[in-house]
Amino acid sequence: IAIHPMEGWDGTTTGGVTEEMQRRWQRFGESGAKLILGGEAMAVRPDGRANPNQLILSDENKAGIAGLVETLTKTHAGRYGTTGDLVIGFQLTHSGRFCRPNEKSRFEPRVAYRHPILDAKFKVVDDSQVWTDDEIGELIQCYIRAARIAAELGVDFVDIKHCHGYLLHEFLGAHTRPGKYGGSFENRTRILRE
């Protein structure tokens, strides 16, 4: 059994852990699942959340997230006698066009490139919402910081969310984007490799 990551709607407004999350992770431990593929989709920075209560994997939230891992592993060990067969990973994400970090009813998208149909749907109104190459470099560092925190918390792996139209997935379609993160396949996959 695997526990697949979902975007929780029950964290704090600063992306921290709540009692509801603690209870959910306790149940993950009790479930008998041996692969915890994230449990929560964790944003790598505040503006990358799909909702204002999504968990953020940051130094500020590190202690609370460590508590989730501890709850899960202690509960699993208590019920099954071992954690030697338990694998825990964190899913790291930025929601891109789907960002709603401040208000549940309002998109605040940042995009890889302009697309007329998607822009209309997600209220992209001008080029200021397109990531610059320098901003992408900063975003890459956010992913690296989050992965380092995950390693410090002792999880076995990180999963870089690269699907469902979220930001990193969107770069695959950035054929018309200029610069080192658009155009060629090598450039469109550069963000993931870096």
Side-chain angles (χ1 to χ4, degrees):
I1 298 174
I3 303 294
H4 188 270
M6 300 297 290
E7 287 156 3
W9 284 77
D10 53 4
T12 67
T13 56
T14 58
V17 172
T18 62
E19 288 181 30
E20 291 85 359
M21 282 183 185
Q22 285 281 352
R23 184 174 58 249
R24 185 165 52 251
W25 282 61
Q26 178 181 348
R27 290 178 179 160
F28 293 164
E30 293 171 347
S31 71
K34 299 301 180 182
L35 173 61
I36 310 300
L37 181 59
E40 315 280 332
M42 301 179 190
V44 297
R45 50 192 270 171
D47 68 347
R49 293 177 290 171
N51 70 76
N53 298 98
Q54 185 176 359
L55 198 58
I56 302 170
L57 186 54
S58 63
D59 286 322
E60 296 78 17
N61 296 323
K62 182 178 176 181
I65 296 169
L68 293 177
V69 174
E70 181 180 6
T71 295
L72 189 152
T73 55
K74 281 186 174 181
T75 304
H76 191 84
R79 187 157 193 182
Y80 301 100
T82 183
T83 58
D85 56 355
L86 182 64
V87 178
I88 301 172
F90 288 170
Q91 184 179 77
L92 309 182
T93 187
H94 189 292
S95 297
R97 288 184 190 270
F98 298 97
C99 288
R100 290 181 175 157
N102 296 305
E103 191 179 305
K104 291 180 183 172
S105 62
R106 187 169 60 100
F107 285 114
E108 297 178 40
R110 295 295 312 279
V111 299
Y113 65 101
R114 298 293 302 274
H115 184 285
I117 295 170
L118 294 173
D119 289 359
K121 180 178 181 179
F122 293 102
K123 312 293 188 261
V124 176
V125 296
D126 62 50
D127 290 345
S128 70
Q129 292 169 274
V130 178
W131 291 82
T132 67
D133 284 358
D134 287 343
E135 289 173 326
I136 294 167
E138 293 170 16
L139 176 65
I140 290 167
Q141 292 307 309
C142 291
Y143 274 94
I144 292 169
R145 275 192 298 276
R148 286 186 176 141
I149 293 168
E152 291 167 8
L153 294 177
V155 302
D156 299 296
F157 67 94
V158 293
D159 169 31
I160 308 298
K161 189 167 188 177
H162 201 251
C163 59
H164 305 311
Y166 279 24
L167 186 63
L168 297 186
H169 180 243
E170 184 176 314
F171 274 92
L172 292 178
H175 296 276
T176 59
R177 180 189 169 87
K180 67 180 186 176
Y181 297 103
S184 70
F185 182 73
E186 179 182 355
N187 284 353
R188 290 181 285 120
T189 57
R190 182 183 311 274
I191 189 170
L192 187 60
R193 290 193 317 277
E194 288 184 357

